[in-house]
Amino acid sequence: MNFIIGLLLGVAAQVLTFIQLQGQFKYTWMKEHPLTVSLLGIPLSLMYLGTTKYMVAHYNGNLWPSRLLGFAIGAIVFTLMSWMWFKEPLTTKTLVCLALAVLIMLIQLIWK
């Protein structure tokens, strides 16, 4: 259960972080109010803290699996969000990086 909660918090935090940071290129309001947008960092930090707490608990106190999973989740979310929001093409380089992120996730999930 710790893993599922950590994963859901991590995905949600990455999606909201993408919106916070890249929203300035899509929404004029976000570009014109950077201080207000930056305040999203407070709840996002709490989400990341929760993600780390649950992932580290799932991996019996080990820190590296949560860090690597966080990196992979971030890479996957960023790829999907930039493709959906900004219609950025999925180049060969992007697809290779996405495959590596998935591989990192699989290694952390399967390799005991």
Side-chain angles (χ1 to χ4, degrees), residues 3 58-59 69 103-112:
F3 180 79
H58 175 74
Y59 285 101
L69 283 167
L103 184 60
I104 288 170
M105 285 189 79
L106 290 173
I107 288 170
Q108 292 306 310
L109 294 172
I110 296 170
W111 194 334
K112 299 293 176 190

Side-chain angles (χ1 to χ4, degrees), residues 33-105:
H33 298 90
L35 184 58
T36 304
V37 172
S38 70
L39 293 175
L40 285 172
I42 296 168
L44 286 171
S45 293
L46 294 171
M47 291 175 79
Y48 284 117
L49 287 169
T51 298
T52 303
K53 176 180 120 178
Y54 286 107
M55 287 294 191
V56 169
H58 175 74
Y59 285 101
N60 301 315
N62 291 316
L63 301 175
W64 268 109
S66 71
R67 177 65 191 113
L68 293 170
L69 283 167
F71 164 78
I73 291 167
I76 292 166
V77 167
F78 191 93
T79 300
L80 294 175
M81 293 289 292
S82 63
W83 175 70
M84 291 186 312
W85 261 34
F86 297 104
K87 308 298 184 225
E88 286 196 13
L90 296 175
T91 63
T92 303
K93 180 171 73 170
T94 301
L95 291 171
V96 168
C97 291
L98 186 60
L100 289 170
V102 170
L103 184 60
I104 288 170
M105 285 189 79

Side-chain angles (χ1 to χ4, degrees), residues 9-44:
L9 271 174
V11 169
Q14 289 289 346
V15 167
L16 293 172
T17 298
F18 182 92
I19 293 168
Q20 179 195 28
L21 299 177
Q22 313 315 320
Q24 64 183 318
F25 304 114
K26 189 166 180 74
Y27 302 112
T28 305
W29 184 89
M30 293 182 85
K31 184 177 185 175
E32 293 172 352
H33 298 90
L35 184 58
T36 304
V37 172
S38 70
L39 293 175
L40 285 172
I42 296 168
L44 286 171

